[in-house]
Amino acid sequence: MQERLSIWERVAMVFSWREVLGARRQLLSLLLLTLWEAGSGQIHYSVPEEAKHGTFVGRIAQDLGLELEELVPRLFRVASKSREDLLEVNLQNGILFVNSRIDREELCGRSSECSLHLEVVVERPLQFFHVEVEVKDINDNLPVFPMPVKKLFLYESRPPGSRIPLEGASDADVGMNSQLTYILHSNEYFTLDVKRNDEEIKSLGLVLKKLLNREDTPEHHLLIMAVDGGKPELTGSTQLIITILDVNDNAPEFEKSIYKVRLFENAPNGTLAVIVNASDLDEGVNKDIVYSFSTDTSADILSKFHLDPVNGYISVKGNLDFEETKLYEIQVEATDKGTPPMAGHCTVLVEILDTNDNVPELVTKSLSLPVLEDTPLGTIIALISVSDRDSGPNGQVTCTLSPHVPFKLVSTFKNYYSLVLDSTLDRESVSDYAVVVTARDGGSPSLSTTVTVSVEVADVNDNAPTFAQPEYTVFVKENNPPGCHIFTVSARDLDAQENALVSYSLVERRVGERALSSYVSVHAESGKVFALQPLDHEELELLQFQVSARDAGVPPLGSNVTLQVFVLDQNDNAPALLPPGAGGGGGAVSQLVSRSVGAGHVVAKVRAVDADSGYNAWLSYELQAAAGGARSPFRVGLYTGEISTTRVLEEADEPRQRLLVLVKDHGEPVLAATATVLLSLVDNGQASKISSRMSKEATNPNLALVDVNVYLIIAICAVSSLLVLTLLLYTALRCSAPPTEGACAPGKRVLVCSSAVGSWSYSQQRRQRVCSGEGPPKPDLMAFSPSLPAGPFSGDREEQLDADAGVSTKVSTF
């Protein structure tokens, strides 16, 4: 801070004040940018200790390249490893200032370097910065002596030049503020001696300038002052009271003035550290020596070491912690038992060696959770800091991740790591990860610690709903009730929550002249398909449409499935009688019959059609018994509808015969219609005249009938072929997919057949249909050979009638 002010003072000599302000901003920005690039993203500030509340430290937001208006929205925050209330940031102007009293000695002790390490975190997107604030020492601590008054006893026989060691003062400051100089007020017997040894430890002592005379001066009072190197200078003092003793003139002397020893921390109690040895040139009692710690020895040393007063053994009796104290300086005295006693002094330096006794510490901060599965690679997920109280290799920590996770650790700063996304995420495969971070030091044996970071993967809408199969076949009986449930579609979405919420809808299209939605509907949530109106097989045999499944994601995804709804026929149409000829009306057939015709002669034919299909359209003819139980000379073909004689007509037969022919289908329930045939019996002469006239009138109808029969045969063959192909296709579909049923009543096994000429005149012109019943499909096909009538009075009709009446046909099961 002082250097920066001096720079601005120089600039002020050249520029005006306004120019100085502009130049200061530009130079400060350039200086901070240079420090940023050179320091790998770390900003350095300095502040003196004991600074007042509100003291300016730095424009941290500007130096980090952040806009003031984005500090609050991006959750700008500052954290410190030590006390978090020492420094604070004003979010209105982005200035870092002193929030509470900073005592450098409390933070860092006597360490030459003292810094506050701040971690600045902003989110949206997640960023972090490292800021180092150096706390500069000020001269705020006085030099302090161990004792304000110290008493010494010296023999008057002590030779000039001998040195009496003293405990120097200590200053809690560092640097020049702790450099002490000592001043002794003028005295004719003593002078002050200050020495610096190889261990950078000042040794303070008094040097005797001339012989002492107890009779002249039995006691000397000296004042020693310690002055530090700070500005302004601070001083401390101690008073020495030296009592002059008589007699014993040889003090014990140690083999070494300084003993150096090394011990590993956590050494067990009783471990021998060093043996000090002193000797005395006197004789007798004056030669016996007792070892003791100096009276100035601190309570900490006394709690850690024990000195044997007889043998001089110094052993461990308390816990030695390298992280607490790295070096112990112990003052040892050897005192003889003379009168007065004399003492020798030495210094024992105990260096504590580090052992790997501290486990690394892991701290995770600023977790960006949960993580979207489409998060781009390289995104920072979490910040991790590591530390180890040990030193050297024991304090060097490396971090690793558990294998087979889509993350990696990136070292961003000393002892700081970022957990970064390394490969793509798929929530449908793995929805959460337990990432194990292991920190291991370089000690031997190494120590490690682990922390588990739980990373939850959030869903995005990346999966469309899917159906089990692309197409379904549904069979529904006609005449179903309105609103009947015919099928249920179901789609599965692998996503979660609203992204997996599937709704169903129809893919609208036209079915003939009407919209698809007038036939069927689908429930948006359950996927149930309903028939909105009764379906008519004769109107619509196959209804094919698509159902769409769409999720609720943003943007929504969807897929379609095809439904083929086959409308199964029911016997809901009674046989319909065809008019007897062109221009004929009603169901009555009138015919003249010669009494001379033989047995088996075809005299008339009843024609009928059925709008249904299959068995429901297969017609049979039955002649109802005459009134009174009289036996009729006529019969009707079971499947042809041809009326023929059963015997030779007699004179006794009624001239006018009224026959009732019952036409029935084979459906359930059976539906029927009744045809009335009026036959007039005439003699041969009348028959010839009428026959010639009728033959002319019947020429064209007979020819037309032959043409119709040919067309009917072709239609029967075509319909049979379509039936075989449809059954083969349906069998293949049933084998490849489970059978599906509608909610309407299940269909029965139905026989699909073709009849003789006349029985399927209407249904043969319709498209062949497929019926499905319960259990394995076993539709039967029954085909009948058609007969071609030659004319109304053919002589060989009896043989054809017998062949028709046999209903002899092969039944095939598919």
Side-chain angles (χ1 to χ4, degrees), residues 723-797:
L723 175 62
V724 172
L725 292 176
T726 304
L727 290 177
L728 290 176
L729 175 61
Y730 172 66
T731 303
L733 290 176
R734 290 295 295 268
C735 292
S736 62
T740 57
E741 296 181 358
C744 300
K748 294 181 61 178
R749 183 164 58 212
V750 179
L751 180 65
V752 180
C753 55
S754 60
S755 74
V757 175
S759 64
W760 268 11
S761 300
Y762 174 74
S763 63
Q764 286 168 353
Q765 299 175 13
R766 298 175 59 84
R767 177 179 169 192
Q768 184 60 48
R769 293 174 281 263
V770 179
C771 306
S772 173
E774 298 178 350
K778 296 181 180 180
D780 299 332
L781 176 65
M782 182 178 290
F784 298 90
S785 301
S787 59
L788 302 176
F793 301 104
S794 175
D796 56 355
R797 294 300 298 170

Side-chain angles (χ1 to χ4, degrees), residues 405-465:
V405 293
F407 306 98
K408 65 179 179 179
L409 283 178
V410 177
S411 178
T412 56
F413 191 65
K414 181 177 67 175
N415 294 334
Y416 286 88
Y417 293 86
S418 295
L419 184 64
V420 177
L421 182 61
D422 189 41
S423 60
T424 56
L425 301 175
D426 185 10
R427 190 204 64 82
E428 289 70 38
S429 299
V430 182
S431 60
D432 59 84
Y433 293 89
V435 182
V436 179
V437 183
T438 302
R440 186 177 300 276
D441 59 28
S444 180
S446 62
L447 300 178
S448 64
T449 186
T450 60
V451 66
T452 300
V453 180
S454 181
V455 180
E456 179 184 356
V457 182
D459 183 55
V460 297
N461 193 26
D462 57 348
N463 290 278

Side-chain angles (χ1 to χ4, degrees), residues 268-492:
N269 291 344
T271 300
L272 179 64
V274 67
I275 300 175
V276 295
N277 185 35
S279 59
D280 195 316
L281 298 178
D282 292 325
E283 296 289 340
V285 177
N286 294 333
K287 188 177 181 179
D288 295 337
I289 297 175
V290 176
Y291 299 96
S292 64
F293 290 124
S294 172
T295 55
D296 299 332
T297 302
S298 66
D300 182 49
I301 294 177
L302 294 175
S303 66
K304 301 293 176 63
F305 299 95
H306 172 264
L307 175 59
D308 189 302
V310 177
N311 301 316
Y313 295 168
I314 298 178
S315 59
V316 177
K317 77 170 185 177
N319 181 46
L320 302 179
D321 190 354
F322 173 84
E323 288 72 36
E324 180 182 335
T325 305
K326 300 177 178 59
L327 179 69
Y328 292 94
E329 181 180 354
I330 305 173
Q331 301 293 334
V332 179
E333 293 181 352
T335 307
D336 58 26
K337 295 181 179 181
T339 303
M342 299 187 67
H345 303 81
C346 74
T347 301
V348 178
L349 299 177
V350 181
E351 181 183 359
I352 306 302
L353 301 180
D354 183 42
T355 60
N356 195 23
D357 59 340
N358 289 282
V359 176
E361 296 180 0
L362 273 172
V363 179
T364 58
K365 300 179 180 180
S366 301
L367 299 178
S368 297
L369 299 176
V371 181
L372 293 175
E373 59 179 322
D374 62 349
T375 299
L377 302 184
T379 301
I380 297 176
I381 307 302
L383 305 178
I384 300 173
S385 63
V386 297
S387 60
D388 194 315
R389 296 182 61 197
D390 294 321
S391 63
N394 297 331
Q396 295 177 357
V397 182
T398 57
C399 282
T400 57
L401 281 183
S402 55
H404 311 300
V405 293
F407 306 98
K408 65 179 179 179
L409 283 178
V410 177
S411 178
T412 56
F413 191 65
K414 181 177 67 175
N415 294 334
Y416 286 88
Y417 293 86
S418 295
L419 184 64
V420 177
L421 182 61
D422 189 41
S423 60
T424 56
L425 301 175
D426 185 10
R427 190 204 64 82
E428 289 70 38
S429 299
V430 182
S431 60
D432 59 84
Y433 293 89
V435 182
V436 179
V437 183
T438 302
R440 186 177 300 276
D441 59 28
S444 180
S446 62
L447 300 178
S448 64
T449 186
T450 60
V451 66
T452 300
V453 180
S454 181
V455 180
E456 179 184 356
V457 182
D459 183 55
V460 297
N461 193 26
D462 57 348
N463 290 278
T466 57
F467 293 92
Q469 57 191 68
E471 183 177 291
Y472 293 93
T473 302
V474 183
F475 297 91
V476 180
K477 285 185 177 182
E478 65 174 336
N479 302 320
N480 57 282
C484 175
H485 172 222
I486 61 175
F487 193 69
T488 301
V489 294
S490 178
R492 181 188 178 195

